[in-house]
């Protein structure tokens, strides 16, 4: 019964070979005014106002930072209403009715290569702050804070592992726009005065290795950038695992990688750095995966931030099954959030929506097989944490290190009794703060 597993079928064959479909002209976009990190906001526009693409229309307030809110189309401001965020919560969104003119705000102006070469770390930090760039792999952490580090950085790592099953939007972004990703990486290297860069991919993704090495050799020969192949297991994309296997650096729990001379960014974030520095452009579009065995035509899309997933499902010819017989997951199947509605809006940090045929897994009593313990990449004892949650024993939860859980979902995946162990550990983290 005891089973250690880090192998998870990836199902990426549904979408990774398909060219990305562009859907950049929705009739309306719905811009999130709140998110998981920012609960309050100020909106600078009112219904009926005209706004331009890239214009600042408000600001979100986080705990120790603020995020400007940008229009992603030009058009007329509509009403504020509640829409579903990728966190599974409904938040305020403002509608902008598209005029289909793509009228850019006056601030959206290209920088010359010479002007970029003269930018300092402080200059680039300020640009990323004004353009509200955040971790686009899903973390949503403000990139300007990361880039403002005063630690001595030796290596910049672009995390292109994308180990969550089903997701292939980063894969397509690299294949279709490798130069944007690498150029963004070089801007980060310039800001931090770093000589060495690494792009980490899975060893099974040879097409990425081929395209990246060719572009580096042809367009960026003056940079010391290596493409490193890592293991084909889950969760290889966990940042700590990437640093360990790509550089041999172990970053202890609770410490920042920068202290060890390394800093990491997601693929989409690197492309976002390029757009912000080169074009002075905030994130107005993103690569997005709509897939699963219950959607007729799984597809990667390039969409405006604020696009309705309902519209994308229509473009994919809808569901195979009746709507009430499918499961909808926002994000990856291992770390994402289940929802009962497809009325979801694509935010900057929405990587995917997965629609699966309804499978009724009946939980059975724990048989103490130990599979969750043996498989946990953070070396925790998920089953014991679950038992502590059932007893509401916070001291034991703390003693078992529940706060170290990375919520990868592997414990629930390998559970022979089909128990949602990860949900119990998440609850433990909330209970102990």
């Amino acid at each position: 019964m005891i089973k250690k597993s880090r192998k998870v079928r990836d199902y990426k064959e549904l979408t990774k070979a398909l060219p990305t479909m562009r859907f950049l002209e929705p009739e309306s976009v719905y811009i999130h005014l709140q998110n998981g990190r920012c609960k309050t906001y100020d909106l600078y526009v009112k219904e009926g106002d005209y706004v331009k693409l890239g214009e600042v229309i408000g600001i979100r307030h986080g705990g120790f930072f603020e995020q400007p809110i940008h229009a992603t189309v030009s058009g007329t401001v509509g009403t504020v209403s509640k829409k579903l965020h990728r966190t599974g919560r409904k938040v305020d969104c403002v509608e902008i009715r598209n005029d289909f003119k793509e009228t850019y705000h006056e601030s959206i102006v290209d920088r010359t290569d010479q002007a970029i070469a003269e930018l300092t770390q402080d200059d680039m930090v300020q640009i990323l702050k004004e353009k509200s760039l955040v971790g686009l792999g899903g973390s949503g952490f403000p990139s300007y804070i990361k880039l403002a580090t005063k630690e001595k950085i030796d290596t910049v790592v672009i995390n292109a592992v994308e180990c969550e099953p089903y997701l292939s939007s980063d894969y397509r972004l690299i294949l279709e726009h490798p130069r944007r990703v690498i150029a963004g990486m070089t801007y980060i290297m310039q800001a931090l005065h770093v000589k060495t860069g690494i792009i980490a991919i899975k060893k099974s993704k040879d097409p990425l290795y081929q395209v990246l090495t060719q572009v580096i050799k042809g367009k960026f020969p003056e940079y010391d950038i290596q493409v490193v192949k890592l293991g084909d297991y889950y969760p290889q994309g966990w940042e700590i695992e990437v640093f360990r296997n790509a550089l041999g650096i172990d970053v202890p729990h609770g410490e920042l990688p920068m202290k060890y001379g390394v800093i990491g960014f997601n693929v989409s974030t690197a492309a976002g750095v390029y757009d912000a520095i080169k074009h002075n452009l905030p994130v107005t579009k993103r690569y997005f995966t709509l897939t699963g065995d219950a959607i007729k035509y799984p597809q990667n899309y390039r969409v405006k931030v604020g696009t309705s997933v309902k519209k994308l499902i229509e473009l994919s010819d809808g569901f195979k099954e009746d709507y009430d017989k499918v499961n909808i997951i926002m994000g990856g199947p291992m770390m994402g959030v289940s929802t009962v509605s497809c009325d979801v809006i694509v935010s900057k940090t929405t990587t995917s929506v997965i629609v699966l045929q309804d499978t009724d897994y009946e939980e059975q009593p724990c048989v103490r097989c130990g599979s969750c313990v043996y498989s946990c990449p953070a070396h925790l004892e998920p089953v014991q944490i679950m038992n502590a949650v059932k007893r509401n024993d916070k001291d034991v939860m703390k003693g078992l290190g529940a706060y170290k859980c990375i919520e990868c979902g592997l414990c629930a995946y390998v559970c022979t009794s089909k128990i949602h162990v990860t949900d119990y550990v998440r609850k433990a983290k909330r209970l102990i703060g």
Side-chain angles (χ1 to χ4, degrees), residues 246-260:
L247 298 167
I249 296 174
D250 273 311
V251 180
H253 176 80
E255 294 197 17
L256 293 175
M258 285 86 94
K259 182 179 176 182
Y260 295 82

Side-chain angles (χ1 to χ4, degrees), residues 155-407:
T155 309
V156 171
V157 176
I158 299 301
N159 186 348
V161 174
E162 198 176 38
C163 67
E164 272 266 14
Y166 287 98
L167 276 60
S168 62
S169 56
D170 281 356
Y171 182 87
R172 293 306 312 182
L173 171 58
I174 293 172
L175 282 185
E176 295 168 13
H177 296 282
R179 192 174 178 280
R180 285 176 59 208
V181 174
I182 300 169
M185 180 183 193
T186 63
Y187 296 161
I188 295 167
M189 294 169 70
Q190 175 186 328
L192 300 175
H193 304 289
V194 173
K195 301 296 184 187
T196 304
I198 284 177
I199 303 177
I201 63 171
K202 274 190 171 181
K203 62 183 178 184
S204 61
K205 302 298 185 295
D206 193 60
L208 297 187
Y209 183 83
Q210 297 299 330
V211 72
L212 286 168
T213 52
Q214 287 177 20
V215 173
I216 292 168
K217 182 179 179 181
K219 301 291 184 181
F220 302 91
E222 69 275 29
Y223 290 92
D224 178 15
I225 300 175
Q226 304 296 321
V227 183
V228 177
K229 297 180 179 180
L230 303 181
D232 279 322
Y233 62 83
Y234 181 85
Q236 173 62 92
W238 177 27
E239 188 175 67
I240 301 303
E241 198 80 354
V242 170
F243 295 155
R244 179 184 296 128
N245 292 326
L247 298 167
I249 296 174
D250 273 311
V251 180
H253 176 80
E255 294 197 17
L256 293 175
M258 285 86 94
K259 182 179 176 182
Y260 295 82
V262 58
I263 191 168
F265 292 86
N266 162 266
V267 172
S268 295
T269 310
V273 170
Y274 171 77
D275 288 338
I277 301 297
K278 179 64 181 176
H279 303 304
N280 210 33
L281 184 68
V283 179
T284 60
K285 307 167 193 168
R286 81 149 295 143
Y287 275 63
F288 172 82
T289 302
L290 176 61
T291 186
D293 60 7
I295 202 86
K296 283 189 178 175
Y297 296 103
Q299 184 72 49
N300 279 305
Y301 289 96
R302 190 179 187 206
V303 300
K304 292 283 189 181
V305 171
T307 298
S308 166
V309 171
K310 266 187 175 179
K311 184 64 182 177
L312 300 179
I313 290 173
E314 291 174 16
L315 291 173
S316 287
D317 219 12
F319 302 122
K320 289 180 181 175
E321 302 286 336
D322 294 338
Y323 175 71
D324 59 357
K325 293 182 179 177
V326 300
N327 291 319
I328 300 170
I329 302 169
M330 292 184 285
M334 303 296 285
M335 302 184 71
V337 177
S338 295
T339 178
V340 295
S341 172
C342 62
D343 190 17
V344 188
I345 302 301
V346 178
S347 70
K348 283 191 284 190
T349 54
T350 309
T351 57
S352 58
V353 166
I354 301 170
V355 186
L356 301 175
Q357 295 179 12
D358 189 24
T359 303
D360 187 16
Y361 289 111
E362 185 176 350
E363 283 193 8
Q364 300 294 324
C366 174
V367 296
R368 303 183 181 183
C369 68
S371 296
C372 61
V373 178
Y374 282 94
S375 299
C376 178
H379 306 296
L380 301 178
E381 299 179 46
V383 64
Q384 298 299 343
I385 296 171
M386 178 182 75
N387 292 333
V389 170
K390 290 180 177 178
R391 299 192 306 269
N392 196 29
D393 191 335
K394 295 181 183 177
D395 289 338
V396 172
M397 294 178 215
K398 289 179 183 175
L400 290 169
Y403 54 86
K404 297 179 182 177
C405 174
I406 61 171
E407 302 184 25

Side-chain angles (χ1 to χ4, degrees), residues 86-104:
R86 72 173 182 86
T87 56
R89 297 177 180 173
K90 285 196 170 184
V91 301
D92 289 348
C93 291
V94 62
E95 179 187 15
I96 301 177
R97 302 183 189 107
N98 195 354
D99 67 1
F100 303 103
K101 294 181 180 177
E102 290 275 294
T103 305
Y104 282 77

Side-chain angles (χ1 to χ4, degrees), residues 33-50:
L33 300 175
Q34 301 160 298
N35 57 34
R37 295 183 181 274
C38 301
K39 308 300 182 188
T40 61
Y41 64 88
D42 291 315
L43 186 60
Y44 301 154
V45 294
K46 62 182 185 303
E47 187 174 358
D49 285 353
Y50 180 77

Side-chain angles (χ1 to χ4, degrees), residues 143-158:
S143 300
Y144 80 90
I145 295 177
K146 210 171 188 180
L147 195 68
T149 181
K150 297 304 178 187
E151 299 282 0
K152 173 71 172 66
I153 303 298
D154 302 311
T155 309
V156 171
V157 176
I158 299 301

